[in-house]
Amino acid sequence: MKFLITLAWKNLSRYKKRTIITAAALAFGLGLYIFMDSMLMGAEVESERNLIWYETASARIMHQDYWAEKDSLPLKYALDNTDELLARLDKEGIAATPRTVFSGEIIMIKDPYPEDGSMFTKIFAIDPATDENVFEFKKTIEAGRYLEPGEDGVMLGSWLAEDIGAKVGFPLTIVTRGRDGYMQTIDVEVVGIINCPNPYINRASLFIPLDTADYYLSMEGGVTEIDLKYRNYKEAEKVSIELEKKLGKDLNGWVILPWQILAKDYVMFSEMKKGGSSIFLLLVFIIAAVGVSNTMLMAVFEREKELGMMRAMGMKDSQVKTAFFIEAAGIGIIGSIFGIIFGVILDFWLVNYGIDFSFMIRDMDIGYRISGIFYGAWNFTTMVKALIIGVFMTVGVAYFPIRRGLKLEITEALKDK
């Protein structure tokens, strides 16, 4: 075996140009694979984080009939008498905040706005005192300030503010229906503009104080949801089931839905993206495999005479195969190592600086909860996979040309061509 390894190494150093070309083709493919995996993983991690921090929380308590009509944002399924439940959640060590979510038409009047107009949007009535315990909006104020309890104030998503020409201090009118079904008009002043990493929030969301909404909507203390923050949102499904058992009758028939259900459309989209990403990564491997197989085919065909000489000197076919496989594995190791180095260099740039897609995301929904810059994520498991796959790929593509070469008679292989 030592002789075969030495022979394989000598062949690698003797055919330097071919070794470099083959290893470079493999390195490029594996480096690109590591880079793409990093970008997709980074987008996945950041999307989940932005979904939890700004949209769904870890889980949500709501009326058991609300989910079936969630798209219409009904107020008739409001949760009443929530003080005891909130106290119980606090006792369990779970951060919670009540919210009322409803739809309304916002009306802009020319001067100070650029022109008259109106649009329908989603409005979140939040408790300024507790909302920051679950969500991260207070850290995303771009202009103005955060909401204060009891004020007739409103915070806007930055893209929405830009679209309607709103600035801090501008008046805004909200037309909606209260819990009793009567039309209500709420005159508010823009006190803050938020610019968070979640494009769904930036694009079309308003926030007003919960007690202000309670007064205008005749909620009488009722809220449409209570949002929860778990220590580990990835275990939200398990924790929600356990929490329902602990709370028991305190839930009064209400249900706890983890973020995986609340954002099931995103979860489905994410799974579809993973499938598409796998196909793309497979194409990258195919490109690399074609490059490697071509050079390995050339290597064997050009060395048929050498192959015949080795057999003529008494080497068994199994030994010849082993020598060529070791040589192929050597190319795989060299190419994989340089591919990992290439991938790490690309990842370093991607993780620290990212790729700015804000020009595209601003006006187009691509599904990810990322408002601009895509950052990568380190995935050392992928790098190990790249090393293993690189070696097995080169050995695999070398099998067929070696097998073909060994089928030739020794006299045929030794002929001058």
Side-chain angles (χ1 to χ4, degrees):
M1 181 59 71
K2 184 178 179 181
F3 166 73
L4 296 178
I5 295 174
T6 303
L7 178 62
W9 174 252
K10 285 183 177 180
N11 284 332
L12 287 174
S13 56
R14 184 167 48 143
Y15 299 100
K16 289 181 182 178
K17 188 174 181 179
R18 184 183 295 122
T19 300
I20 292 172
I21 292 173
T22 310
L26 181 62
F28 178 78
L30 293 180
L32 189 60
Y33 163 66
I34 293 170
F35 171 78
M36 290 302 304
D37 179 79
S38 174
M39 186 171 73
L40 294 171
M41 182 178 177
E44 191 75 24
V45 171
E46 190 173 356
S47 287
E48 281 192 6
R49 184 185 64 196
N50 292 337
L51 186 75
I52 306 303
W53 283 3
Y54 304 104
E55 197 172 335
T56 64
S58 299
R60 181 175 298 161
I61 298 176
M62 59 175 60
H63 193 283
Q64 58 186 355
D65 296 324
Y66 184 94
W67 185 249
E69 301 179 37
K70 66 183 186 305
D71 293 334
S72 61
L73 303 177
L75 297 177
K76 63 183 178 180
Y77 296 123
L79 310 176
D80 296 306
N81 305 317
T82 58
D83 290 343
E84 291 184 8
L85 179 58
L86 288 169
R88 181 69 189 279
L89 290 167
D90 183 62
K91 187 177 179 181
E92 293 291 337
I94 295 175
T97 187
R99 279 185 166 194
T100 293
V101 183
F102 60 102
S103 61
E105 182 182 16
I106 56 174
I107 300 175
M108 296 76 68
I109 306 297
K110 187 173 182 179
D111 189 19
Y113 290 93
E115 58 184 21
D116 294 337
S118 67
M119 65 180 295
F120 286 92
T121 188
K122 182 184 285 188
I123 303 158
F124 299 86
I126 67 174
D127 182 352
T130 61
D131 204 77
E132 62 181 300
N133 297 330
V134 177
F135 296 98
E136 303 288 329
F137 289 106
K138 198 168 186 178
K139 301 176 182 178
T140 65
I141 301 294
E142 183 180 62
R145 59 172 174 79
Y146 195 64
L147 290 173
E148 295 179 357
E151 69 174 342
D152 290 338
V154 63
M155 294 192 306
L156 305 179
S158 59
W159 294 353
L160 174 61
E162 182 182 332
D163 289 341
I164 65 176
K167 295 181 180 179
V168 174
F170 279 21
L172 194 65
T173 299
I174 301 172
V175 178
T176 185
R177 288 186 182 274
R179 186 177 183 180
D180 53 14
Y182 292 106
M183 296 298 297
Q184 295 289 342
T185 299
I186 310 173
D187 291 313
V188 292
E189 178 183 318
V190 177
V191 300
I193 295 175
I194 59 176
N195 184 11
C196 77
N198 189 319
Y200 282 68
I201 300 299
N202 282 350
R203 191 173 286 123
S205 295
L206 281 77
F207 298 84
I208 66 174
L210 183 63
D211 45 4
T212 300
D214 184 84
Y215 172 75
Y216 285 105
L217 301 179
S218 303
M219 296 299 292
E220 299 181 351
V223 296
T224 59
E225 63 189 52
I226 296 176
D227 293 290
L228 312 176
K229 181 179 181 180
Y230 298 151
R231 291 184 179 86
N232 184 358
Y233 70 82
K234 292 186 179 295
E235 297 181 357
E237 292 177 304
K238 176 184 175 182
V239 175
S240 296
I241 293 173
E242 294 175 351
L243 185 60
E244 276 194 342
K245 292 178 180 179
K246 285 183 179 180
L247 296 178
K249 294 181 179 180
D250 289 339
L251 282 175
N252 293 319
W254 303 332
V255 294
I256 304 177
L257 299 180
W259 71 268
Q260 290 93 335
I261 293 178
L262 297 172
K264 64 177 184 178
D265 291 340
Y266 166 76
V267 173
M268 290 175 60
F269 162 82
S270 178
E271 292 301 322
M272 289 173 61
K273 281 286 185 181
K274 286 179 181 177
S277 301
S278 299
I279 294 173
F280 178 82
L281 295 175
L282 177 62
L283 292 175
V284 171
F285 273 126
I286 290 174
I287 293 170
V290 169
V292 173
S293 61
N294 282 340
T295 51
M296 290 303 297
L297 280 168
M298 289 172 58
V300 174
F301 291 162
E302 291 175 3
R303 293 162 60 188
E304 284 183 353
K305 192 171 183 179
E306 177 185 332
L307 194 149
M309 182 69 71
M310 294 166 66
R311 296 167 67 195
M313 293 176 65
M315 288 185 66
K316 297 178 181 179
D317 286 357
S318 60
Q319 292 176 312
V320 175
K321 280 184 182 179
T322 302
F324 272 90
F325 283 150
I326 293 173
E327 184 178 337
I331 294 174
I333 292 171
I334 295 170
S336 298
I337 291 174
F338 279 99
I340 291 172
I341 294 172
F342 178 48
V344 167
I345 293 172
L346 293 176
D347 276 7
F348 179 82
W349 172 76
L350 187 63
V351 170
N352 290 281
Y353 301 100
I355 302 176
D356 190 354
F357 285 106
S358 55
F359 68 93
M360 180 173 64
I361 299 174
R362 174 65 177 84
D363 300 311
M364 184 175 69
D365 181 9
I366 64 170
Y368 284 121
R369 287 346 191 237
I370 300 174
S371 62
I373 299 177
F374 275 59
Y375 289 97
W378 294 108
N379 190 348
F380 297 103
T381 301
T382 296
M383 297 178 191
V384 174
K385 284 182 181 177
L387 177 63
I388 295 172
I389 292 172
V391 174
F392 277 93
M393 182 191 295
T394 51
V395 173
V397 298
Y399 172 78
F400 294 102
I402 293 172
R403 183 183 176 188
R404 178 187 179 281
L406 291 174
K407 284 184 176 180
L408 292 175
E409 295 293 334
I410 295 177
T411 53
E412 183 70 21
L414 292 173
K415 283 182 180 180
D416 290 326
K417 296 180 182 179

